[in-house]
Amino acid sequence: MASLSVPPVPTDPRRDAIDLHRAFKGFGCDATAVTAILAHRDASQRALIRRHYAAVYHQDLLHRLAAELSGHHKRAVLLWVLDPASRDAAVLHQALNGDVTDMRAATEVVCSRTPSQLLVVRQAYLARFGGGGGGGLEHDVAVRASGDHQRLLLAYLRSPRYEGPEVVDMAAAARDARELYRAGERRLGTDERTFIRVFSERSAAHMAAVAAAYHHMYDRSLEKAVKSETSGNFGFGLLTILRCAESPAKYFAKVLHEAMKGLGTNDTTLIRVVTTRAEVDMQYIKAEYHRSYKRSLADAVHSETSGNYRTFLLSLIGRDR
């Protein structure tokens, strides 16, 4: 369930484009006006605003925003204005090709998305960034990742997992649980290929059933088995797949908590999660955050951010209900 709050009456995208242009004019940018418009428009409305802005002012709205805004506020707004697939593509490109490679961010995006989402992300990535030799996202993943981590990401990008309503075959789930046990805890060493095959080819509902079957059969959680049998980015990828299969909201609540706990804030993670989940399941994430950490997500974000950046993120997160 999305947290995005949009006006009850449909807005005029041309009027929004004009109002944004007015916010850019003069000395400094009226960031409050920018937030009031863009933080309260859904993806289709934002796309229309970009189209009208280009038609009226012969300039890409993204380029103007990049020139007018600064800091974390700028980064958040520029990601938010994009459609979901282009946003994921931008996050992946930055993670894989930025000044500092961030394989955790790339792994999170790949391993938390559905096959249909990944298909359009791959198309958006190829259209916008190309990728080495025209190979797109898969080429860049192959270059930046290695070993079992690389094999997992490529398999997850390519496998056509079922994502509709389903009645899980519990016998098949039990067989997969048995295979994973034999590939890991039962033997000396780990058969990583079995883990890659099961985790990359099974639907989210099936993986949740495999985890339940594993616990029932061996009195030990599959998550603990993954932690003991794997490590590094490969283990992180498997855990991301498993945790998102069981509860995406709980997974992202934990990611947000980790980004804000302790000294300093991981603003890259905070921006990525808020902008990518606000139109998906932020209300569920907020509920999980409050349940797990006895504090509202809005309160946590308020204490870790400031200024226009804070206002923008809190507008996307929405009021507590």
Side-chain angles (χ1 to χ4, degrees), residues 231-248:
S231 61
N233 288 327
F234 175 52
F236 176 75
L238 294 175
L239 289 173
T240 300
I241 293 168
L242 179 60
R243 290 168 177 168
C244 286
E246 294 182 310
S247 173

Side-chain angles (χ1 to χ4, degrees), residues 3-5 282-283 286 298 313-320:
S3 61
L4 182 66
S5 171
M282 185 57 75
Q283 290 292 7
K286 288 160 62 177
L313 290 187
L314 290 178
S315 295
L316 298 186
I317 291 169
R319 297 179 179 178
D320 294 317

Side-chain angles (χ1 to χ4, degrees), residues 13-279:
R14 189 174 188 277
R15 180 76 257 167
D16 283 341
I18 293 170
D19 288 343
L20 283 169
H21 189 69
R22 285 178 177 169
F24 301 147
K25 295 177 67 176
F27 183 72
C29 172
D30 185 351
T32 300
V34 172
T35 294
I37 296 170
L38 293 179
H40 298 284
R41 302 294 187 270
D42 63 27
S44 61
Q45 291 171 322
R46 297 193 304 274
L48 287 173
I49 292 171
R50 284 186 69 186
R51 189 180 306 168
H52 280 275
Y53 193 91
V56 175
Y57 301 109
H58 309 290
Q59 184 181 21
D60 188 340
L61 177 60
L62 282 177
H63 294 161
R64 190 61 189 265
L65 287 167
E68 295 290 342
L69 304 177
S70 61
H72 298 315
H73 181 220
K74 169 181 171 179
R75 293 168 59 202
V77 172
L78 290 180
L79 270 183
W80 174 248
V81 171
L82 299 171
D83 64 89
S86 296
R87 186 187 306 123
D88 279 347
V91 170
L92 285 164
H93 187 261
Q94 179 63 32
L96 294 169
N97 299 285
D99 294 335
V100 178
T101 303
D102 188 350
M103 291 311 300
R104 286 291 178 108
T107 301
E108 176 196 287
V109 172
V110 171
C111 294
S112 63
R113 303 308 193 251
T114 65
S116 59
Q117 289 172 331
L118 289 174
L119 176 61
V120 291
V121 169
R122 288 162 61 192
Q123 293 168 344
Y125 193 100
L126 185 61
R128 186 173 179 187
F129 305 112
L137 177 57
E138 287 148 295
H139 174 275
D140 288 354
V141 166
V143 169
R144 296 300 182 185
S146 60
D148 294 316
H149 180 227
Q150 179 202 76
R151 285 185 279 274
L152 175 66
L153 293 184
L154 291 177
Y156 207 75
L157 280 168
R158 296 165 177 166
S159 297
R161 295 170 299 282
Y162 182 73
E163 54 187 285
E166 68 177 302
V167 177
V168 176
D169 183 339
M170 298 308 296
R175 286 195 297 271
D176 281 342
R178 190 176 300 110
E179 273 201 74
L180 291 171
Y181 179 70
R182 290 173 177 171
E185 293 187 298
R186 186 179 175 182
R187 56 175 283 169
L188 183 63
T190 305
D191 177 5
E192 289 86 358
R193 292 186 182 277
T194 295
F195 277 82
I196 292 171
R197 177 175 54 79
V198 172
F199 276 69
S200 66
E201 295 180 1
R202 305 301 188 256
S203 69
H206 185 92
M207 278 307 305
V210 170
Y214 195 99
H215 191 275
H216 175 75
M217 295 164 69
Y218 305 111
D219 196 28
R220 179 174 168 83
S221 75
L222 180 56
E223 179 169 326
K224 288 184 178 179
V226 169
K227 288 180 178 178
S228 67
E229 295 295 322
T230 64
S231 61
N233 288 327
F234 175 52
F236 176 75
L238 294 175
L239 289 173
T240 300
I241 293 168
L242 179 60
R243 290 168 177 168
C244 286
E246 294 182 310
S247 173
K250 186 175 181 180
Y251 171 80
F252 283 109
K254 184 175 182 179
V255 172
L256 287 167
H257 178 69
E258 293 291 327
M260 293 185 284
K261 77 174 187 178
L263 186 63
T265 302
N266 186 333
D267 291 287
T268 298
T269 297
L270 181 58
I271 291 168
R272 180 180 71 250
V273 175
V274 171
T275 57
T276 58
R277 309 310 294 188
E279 292 181 280

